[in-house]
Amino acid sequence: MLTNRLIAGSWTLCLCLSAQTGQDRPEAPAAVLRTSAAEFQVVRTGYVRASLIRNGETLTLDDPAEEAGDRLWVNGALASTPEYGLQNVRRTEFRSGAGVQGQRLTVRARVMAAGLTLDRILTVETRANLPNLAVITLRYANTSRRDVRIDRIEFGRHRFNAALAGPAARPFDAWTFQGASRKWGEGEVSAVDAKFERANLMGVVQGPEGEGGGIPVVAFWTRRVGVAAGHVEPAPVVLSLPVRVAEDGRIETAIAVEPAIRLRPGQSYRTPRGFVAVYRGDFYEALSTYARAVPLAPQAAIPQSYEAAWCGWGYRFDVTPALMLGTIPKLKELQFHWATLDDGWFRTYGDWEPRPDTFPGRSLQEMVEEFHRQGIRVQIWWYPLAVEDGERRYESHEYRVSTVAARHPDWLILDKNGKHARFGRGLAALCPALPEVQQYHKLLTARYLRDWDFDGHKLDVVYSVPACYNPKHHHLRPEESTEAMGKVYRAIYETSLELKPDSVTQICPCGTTPNVAWLPFMNQAAAADPVGSPQVRQRIKMYKALLGPRAAVTGDHVEYTGENFTGTDFASTVGLGGIPGTRFTWPGPGPRPNSLLDSAKDITFHKWFSVYQSKLLSKGTFRNLYVYGYDYPEAYAVEKDGRMYYAFFAPAKGDGAASGRWRGEIELRGLRAGRHRVVDYVHGVELGSVDAANPRMHVEFERHLLLEVESLR
């Protein structure tokens, strides 16, 4: 399998005839950048066609049409389609400040619209350390004598055709990852069908199209080749990555920005840096390539990040110290080292003082002290940047006016109409671009960890923040608030480590994908309220790709898993190297009847938390050896202490749970040469041995099969 990390980067440039791109379509002149892993053809419309070079074969899904180039709307009108002068291609080599070598191809075109003229400069760059990726940028220069308003730009356009990689396939026969943070529970990974369509709005988004934030990547793959597109700016950018299946069955996508900027004569505008990447594999390869291209620079997990946690959310909003502390005997019995005080402990969003009715006096601090005496660390739940302004309500309570909003009304984000902008739970938002707001969150962090002695955070409902039109903030652009969101999360994370080097910061984008703004500023990711077992596995794999194969990722509360959400599928977390967690109530029931850890669940929990502690695969290295959607049964691999661990899952039933049955062959990929012993480590049953030269064996199992494979040499 092609791995991005092992390919040396070398490149060439030529002007030649491109390969034929469709049925009976004439070939077109193209400028070509070749690396050791890929080929990027730039045709005269500006379309960048990406192909994978593997074992002497050139593979692609790109199927450009004659009109499938860049598009520009100026002064309310669509500009003429450009033709780049490929006879005047400029090629240069460069070295970045970080020492990365690359090659750059620049071509120009002239655009006419409503009697105005613009120069359009297309730049395509490849990098030696990422030879399967090209960065694409457009710059528009106003060469007219009048002002030009740039309304919308669509660049990095692609048409994908799965039949190019498999003649028997329909054009849309591929799997996809869609990185937008949309609706709670909506899948990021799915098969493409003939009616597939998504807007994929990124950055600051509210309303029906999503929660905001997201990973700016769309990826598509078949068994033989995959392609991904998006942008590689290090901060959130407000744009869209629209995807749809056209009438001819091909998958269309682009990068669409709406700068609404006016250029005076001589001025220019540059788009965000888009990218296209080709690979062999699934969304893991696409996301790991993206993470290295940005680069994300995630924080390394610490030993405490890998410890299993119990959460008090089973008691919902009316949790009390007595309910929290009452679970301690069971937590010690199950060998939990973490407890989380979840939502509902506070009186007002933004002020974050304990509720006087449920946490009177010093009861919160005394609760933390008792957990510590029992050898258990404690995290605290909160929602940075959120404040109550007396408007609206949430299911927990009707909103008051928080003290911070009353004392510092100028800190709040305003919308276009001069009113308080809204984000998650209908709350008002503090502007993260203000140094005073960043300092306020440092002080809150110090309160929790220094004054109250908590050991970390569960930061929740974390999507994005609205654009800020508050004139007192003097933003050059409203999106500066969105782009600055990461500064507050950096402040929380770094302050936490200064106060307690072994503190754990978890961030949860409830039910959706994470936001690139804050992704690097945590040392424990969460599967974020998954809808069933398959999504647990998809999101653990997603985070291992984005944050690294040894990242600490919790599968979230196990109560989200199992057939009909019975909370019994630990395998989807444990087998992938995730960290199991739970929100059970004990010794009595909570507000939800299925939250009680009854005698039957108690047996299951003891078994699986014992398995987790004995193997600690969360500290192993995730190995992406299987292609999601094409390898059956669904399979995963983790390497740890010289052994390989495999997790296989039977095809799901209609409810989405891995509750079916598998009878057939499995393949144990990634083994070193020689014979290996195979053990079902959950049940302690030896299944025989395999040879790495032919690592296949016939098995039969229900729901899942977790294997430990050790060399016999």
Side-chain angles (χ1 to χ4, degrees):
M1 178 174 291
L2 180 67
T3 56
N4 301 329
R5 294 172 174 79
L6 300 179
I7 301 173
S10 61
W11 55 77
T12 59
L13 167 74
C14 71
L15 292 176
C16 59
L17 292 180
S18 68
Q20 192 162 325
T21 60
Q23 299 295 327
D24 301 321
R25 185 176 299 135
E27 297 175 341
V32 181
L33 290 175
R34 289 195 181 97
T35 73
S36 56
E39 178 180 275
F40 301 98
Q41 299 177 342
V42 184
V43 301
R44 61 174 178 259
T45 60
Y47 190 112
V48 180
R49 186 177 195 237
S51 301
L52 179 68
I53 300 173
R54 185 173 184 270
N55 297 330
E57 188 178 12
T58 300
L59 301 169
T60 188
L61 298 179
D62 255 321
D63 192 6
E66 286 296 324
E67 69 279 6
D70 311 327
R71 296 201 290 184
L72 169 71
W73 284 260
V74 297
N75 293 354
L78 178 63
S80 61
T81 301
E83 282 209 11
Y84 289 92
L86 296 179
Q87 70 278 9
N88 297 316
V89 173
R90 184 185 178 204
R91 184 258 195 184
T92 56
E93 297 183 4
F94 67 90
R95 182 185 294 271
S96 71
V100 176
Q101 290 180 296
Q103 59 178 338
R104 180 180 295 122
L105 184 151
T106 305
V107 291
R108 293 175 175 266
R110 179 150 292 192
V111 182
M112 302 293 295
L116 301 171
T117 305
L118 294 92
D119 276 348
R120 177 183 288 186
I121 301 96
L122 170 67
T123 302
V124 182
E125 295 180 350
T126 57
R127 306 172 184 178
N129 65 328
L130 286 172
N132 65 322
L133 176 141
V135 176
I136 304 167
T137 311
L138 283 177
R139 185 166 65 87
Y140 291 93
N142 183 6
T143 56
S144 301
R145 296 182 179 181
R146 292 185 290 138
D147 290 359
V148 174
R149 187 185 72 246
I150 296 183
D151 301 311
R152 180 181 174 89
I153 303 166
E154 293 181 2
F155 71 107
R157 296 179 68 204
H158 292 277
R159 292 199 331 156
F160 299 132
N161 182 358
L164 297 181
R170 294 168 296 181
F172 58 82
D173 279 340
W175 280 74
T176 184
F177 171 89
Q178 305 282 303
S181 175
R182 281 171 51 96
K183 301 173 184 177
W184 187 311
E186 187 174 70
E188 302 86 34
V189 179
S190 65
V192 180
D193 61 33
K195 296 181 179 180
F196 192 93
E197 184 171 6
R198 287 198 185 178
N200 285 321
L201 299 176
M202 300 286 173
V204 53
V205 182
Q206 305 298 319
E209 283 301 335
E211 299 288 357
I215 299 299
V217 175
V218 292
F220 306 89
W221 65 94
T222 66
R223 180 175 292 280
R224 302 185 70 205
V225 63
V227 62
H231 81 74
V232 289
E233 296 293 340
V237 178
V238 180
L239 51 72
S240 61
L241 303 173
V243 174
R244 77 179 187 101
V245 173
E247 291 183 3
D248 63 5
R250 287 164 174 78
I251 303 167
E252 297 181 346
T253 188
I255 304 170
V257 292
E258 296 182 355
I261 189 173
R262 187 172 296 276
L263 298 182
R264 296 175 181 172
Q267 290 184 326
S268 62
Y269 168 80
R270 182 185 69 83
T271 66
R273 294 174 301 157
F275 80 91
V276 61
V278 284
Y279 53 90
R280 172 73 184 273
D282 56 24
F283 64 98
Y284 183 97
E285 298 296 339
L287 294 177
S288 61
T289 298
Y290 160 79
R292 295 179 65 207
V294 174
L296 282 181
Q299 304 298 318
I302 58 176
Q304 292 76 14
S305 301
Y306 297 106
E307 294 173 346
W310 169 82
C311 178
W313 184 231
Y315 294 111
R316 303 287 287 177
F317 298 106
D318 293 324
V319 64
T320 65
L323 291 171
M324 292 286 294
L325 294 172
T327 62
I328 285 179
K330 184 60 66 176
L331 301 186
K332 296 180 73 172
E333 188 180 312
L334 291 167
Q335 301 182 54
F336 281 110
H337 299 289
W338 282 96
T340 301
L341 176 61
D342 211 280
D343 197 354
W345 62 268
F346 56 92
R347 182 176 184 270
T348 311
Y349 292 88
D351 296 338
W352 303 109
E353 293 290 352
R355 278 173 57 178
D357 58 334
T358 54
F359 286 84
R362 291 192 71 258
S363 60
L364 183 144
Q365 295 95 313
E366 291 168 352
M367 181 197 74
V368 174
E369 291 167 2
E370 181 59 25
F371 270 115
H372 285 170
R373 276 192 290 270
Q374 299 293 333
I376 299 172
R377 297 184 179 90
V378 196
Q379 287 179 304
I380 187 168
W381 183 103
W382 59 297
Y383 182 4
L385 297 169
V387 296
E388 297 181 31
D389 63 351
E391 299 182 25
R392 308 195 183 187
R393 61 167 290 124
Y394 188 60
E395 60 178 301
S396 56
H397 67 280
E398 189 167 344
Y399 294 159
R400 308 173 179 88
V401 178
S402 60
T403 301
V404 65
R407 290 180 178 175
H408 304 286
D410 293 346
W411 288 4
L412 272 66
I413 295 175
L414 300 183
D415 62 20
K416 292 180 179 180
N417 300 316
K419 297 185 180 297
H420 293 168
R422 303 284 161 189
F423 70 153
R425 298 188 174 181
L427 290 156
L430 301 177
C431 182
L434 298 183
E436 306 96 300
V437 171
Q438 298 165 26
Q439 180 62 26
Y440 180 65
H441 283 79
K442 289 183 179 181
L443 295 175
L444 288 174
T445 303
R447 177 199 294 174
Y448 302 138
L449 270 64
R450 182 189 62 205
D451 302 341
W452 295 351
D453 205 21
F454 279 92
D455 305 289
H457 316 273
K458 178 181 177 180
L459 307 179
D460 207 1
V461 204
V462 182
Y463 304 116
S464 185
V465 295
C468 183
Y469 294 85
N470 193 328
K472 295 183 178 180
H473 297 179
H474 306 291
H475 298 313
L476 296 177
R477 295 174 296 106
E479 294 79 16
E480 288 184 5
S481 58
T482 305
E483 296 165 1
M485 185 181 184
K487 293 182 179 180
V488 164
Y489 285 84
R490 178 195 287 270
I492 295 168
Y493 182 74
E494 292 181 348
T495 302
S496 299
L497 292 183
E498 289 172 6
L499 294 169
K500 290 192 174 184
D502 58 355
S503 64
V504 173
T505 297
Q506 179 194 114
I507 303 180
C508 179
C510 297
T512 69
T513 51
N515 185 340
V516 66
W518 48 258
L519 194 55
F521 306 122
M522 61 181 177
N523 51 14
Q524 188 184 78
D529 304 286
V531 180
S533 301
Q535 199 168 73
V536 172
R537 301 193 292 270
Q538 293 163 7
R539 288 183 175 169
I540 290 176
K541 184 169 182 173
M542 173 188 72
Y543 277 114
K544 295 284 187 178
L546 290 167
L547 302 177
R550 295 174 62 86
V553 186
T554 173
D556 215 332
H557 308 147
V558 73
E559 285 77 8
Y560 288 120
T561 70
E563 189 171 0
N564 298 319
F565 302 102
T566 54
T568 56
D569 180 15
F570 285 87
S572 286
T573 294
V574 173
L576 274 71
I579 306 158
T582 175
R583 62 172 189 239
F584 68 74
T585 61
W586 185 90
R592 294 181 174 177
N594 67 348
S595 63
L596 176 65
L597 186 65
D598 58 24
S599 57
K601 283 186 179 179
D602 190 61
I603 294 171
T604 300
F605 275 47
H606 272 85
K607 166 189 169 182
W608 278 102
F609 281 107
S610 176
V611 169
Y612 174 72
Q613 295 292 348
S614 68
K615 301 302 178 184
L616 281 176
L617 297 188
S618 57
K619 293 186 176 181
T621 301
F622 187 92
R623 297 282 307 278
N624 192 43
L625 302 177
Y626 300 91
V627 181
Y628 194 93
Y630 292 95
D631 285 325
Y632 287 97
E634 183 183 335
Y636 303 86
V638 176
E639 186 173 10
K640 183 174 185 281
D641 299 332
R643 296 178 174 89
M644 290 293 293
Y645 294 84
Y646 298 89
F648 296 94
F649 297 90
K653 287 185 178 179
D655 60 7
S659 54
R661 184 177 184 85
W662 175 266
R663 178 186 298 165
E665 194 174 64
I666 59 172
E667 181 180 4
L668 305 177
R669 298 176 183 172
L671 294 175
R672 295 185 177 91
R675 294 202 66 80
H676 300 259
R677 183 178 61 181
V678 181
V679 176
D680 173 349
Y681 65 83
V682 175
H683 300 98
V685 177
E686 188 162 338
L687 301 181
S689 64
V690 297
D691 194 296
N694 182 28
R696 299 174 184 273
M697 59 190 310
H698 190 278
V699 297
E700 185 174 340
F701 63 88
E702 290 188 14
R703 298 181 180 167
H704 55 258
L705 176 66
L706 306 189
L707 302 177
E708 179 183 81
V709 182
E710 181 181 11
S711 174
L712 289 172
R713 289 190 299 175

